Amino acid sequence: MKSIYCIGELLIDFVAEGQGNDLSKANTFIKKPGGAPANVACAISKLGGNSRFIGSVGRDPFGTFLLHVLKENNVDISLAQRCKTFTTLAFVSLAEDGERDFVFSRGADKKLKYDSSVKKGFKGHMVHLGAATALLGGGLEEAYSRYFFDALTQDSFISFDPNFRGDLWRDDESTFVKKCMPFIEKSHLCKFSLEEARLLSGQTDLEACCDFLHDVGAKVITITLGGKGTLLSTQGLKKTIPSISVTPLDTTGAGDAFIGCLLYQISTLDKALAVLDDFELLTKMVEKANVAGAITTTGFGAIPSLPTYSQVFD
Ligand code: ATP
């Protein structure tokens, strides 16, 4: 089985209690571990895969808590870093329909330092670039770009999820789009939400979104569509693969569970890259990844709601 290196932020989600979608009125917050790449790492390991997290937290109690959670979930944290800056915090509110809203207080995640000794481990393995904060500058952006280059030169299987957060890119969405393009061009698998696919392509029609992104160079595209499932698209074939029926409580982490489950399945193949030319196999894998995403919506918080292997595959 291949290792999957998940690179990006690990942070605290402070989830507002009982205040609908309005953070300004929230008085009480519950502390939960978060950060998309960390969620993906947990999703992979909870299914039985080998995930390794690369990111930075503060030398404070929140950093201690977060690394403990990853360790508890069997994520390899030997490449995680700690720095003097406070751990990154995200304040989250949940609407009644399970949708969410974010405010970020950015700290240690941007201090990640590139480590040139890591790249030899990439050879023949997989790298997932899924940070919401990675393209905002700082050490993380430099490390992210250099690890991306390393993954390309080490023939790793590369997956990219832009994790667009409107809060972080107010009035500067065009910079976000521009910075994503090299990752879309060179990665083997891209995971987008519908909002991201439209933003990145400048198209509204789903087929046109995919055509545009394939023209940029995207190989396999998955566009997650919430309760409607996932659109899978390769250069030649497209198909919407339905999800299962659930009653969602909190959609936080559904996309991370989805991509984590897809990557886990690819990591079990002898030749990960062979999946790029096998639409039937990809379809089966996306069906299972949809189940993982759906199950994650049925509980509160991302990591505690991630499914085990038997919940998805038995
Ligand atoms: P994120 O918001 O974490 O970036 P996302 O928007 O990509 O993620 P969703 O589309 O909400 O994630 O969910 C990912 C996948 O989980 C979907 O493609 C679908 O398969 C499954 N899923 C999500 N919500 C539901 C639901 N209400 N019912 C069934 N399946 C769901």
Side-chain angles (χ1 to χ4, degrees):
M1 187 182 294
K2 293 171 178 34
S3 292
I4 307 170
Y5 292 78
C6 300
I7 306 173
E9 76 273 6
L10 170 60
L11 50 81
I12 304 277
D13 279 330
F14 277 108
V15 182
E17 270 196 312
Q19 297 295 329
N21 215 12
D22 190 350
L23 274 177
S24 70
K25 293 189 188 128
N27 292 318
T28 318
F29 294 85
I30 299 183
K31 181 184 79 175
K32 298 197 178 211
N39 290 343
V40 174
C42 289
I44 292 162
S45 57
K46 209 159 166 188
L47 291 166
N50 293 330
S51 63
R52 307 193 68 180
F53 178 74
I54 302 179
S56 174
V57 293
R59 275 192 215 108
D60 53 29
F62 292 140
T64 303
F65 163 71
L66 289 168
L67 292 180
H68 176 71
V69 170
L70 290 199
K71 213 171 164 192
E72 247 184 348
N73 281 277
N74 295 321
V75 176
D76 182 331
I77 55 166
S78 57
L79 298 172
Q81 298 172 13
R82 298 192 78 168
C83 66
K84 282 187 199 149
T85 310
F86 63 88
T87 297
T88 299
L89 310 176
F91 294 85
V92 188
S93 67
L94 298 176
E96 281 173 5
D97 61 2
E99 283 302 321
R100 65 187 193 274
D101 204 15
F102 273 106
V103 171
F104 274 95
S105 176
R106 198 171 181 213
D109 80 275
K110 70 170 172 244
K111 298 287 182 185
L112 183 72
K113 291 196 174 82
Y114 171 74
D115 175 355
S116 62
S117 69
V118 171
K119 91 169 172 200
K120 59 181 182 302
F122 285 0
K123 187 109 203 139
H125 292 275
M126 299 168 66
V127 174
H128 174 66
L129 298 147
T133 58
L135 304 177
L136 288 164
L140 176 59
E141 182 166 11
E142 197 202 323
Y144 203 72
S145 302
R146 295 184 75 177
Y147 285 131
F148 176 52
F149 181 76
D150 288 346
L152 288 167
T153 57
Q154 297 298 308
D155 298 323
S156 312
F157 184 98
I158 305 171
S159 140
F160 176 62
D161 177 350
N163 271 306
F164 175 72
R165 301 283 180 255
D167 276 351
L168 303 176
W169 293 98
R170 253 177 233 139
D171 303 325
D172 204 12
E173 292 179 355
S174 61
T175 304
F176 172 80
V177 171
K178 204 169 135 200
K179 287 187 174 192
C180 285
M181 289 304 152
F183 295 93
I184 294 170
E185 183 192 341
K186 303 272 190 218
S187 297
H188 301 106
L189 171 65
C190 290
K191 181 257 173 215
F192 305 119
S193 65
L194 182 56
E195 180 196 15
E196 288 163 348
R198 288 184 167 149
L199 175 68
L200 291 163
S201 64
Q203 309 290 320
T204 43
D205 174 73
L206 261 181
E207 292 221 357
C209 289
C210 291
D211 290 345
F212 178 95
L213 295 163
H214 285 307
D215 282 348
V216 170
K219 287 147 201 82
V220 174
I221 297 173
T222 57
I223 302 179
T224 50
L225 305 169
K228 293 190 183 128
T230 303
L231 177 77
L232 170 65
S233 176
T234 61
Q235 302 270 1
L237 295 162
K238 287 182 185 55
K239 187 175 179 181
T240 298
I241 300 158
S243 187
I244 56 168
S245 174
V246 290
T247 306
L249 287 178
D250 173 10
T251 62
T252 310
D256 302 327
F258 169 87
I259 189 70
C261 184
L262 190 50
L263 292 172
Y264 160 72
Q265 294 173 84
I266 296 171
S267 78
T268 64
L269 302 174
D270 278 345
K271 291 188 179 159
L273 290 174
V275 81
L276 302 180
D277 301 316
D278 192 338
F279 195 78
E280 204 179 313
L281 179 59
L282 274 171
T283 302
K284 286 192 182 128
M285 289 179 166
V286 168
E287 277 168 13
K288 293 298 183 190
N290 281 347
V291 174
I295 291 172
T296 304
T297 69
T298 61
F300 287 107
I303 294 175
S305 314
L306 294 167
T308 59
Y309 181 91
S310 61
Q311 282 177 289
V312 177
F313 293 97
D314 289 347

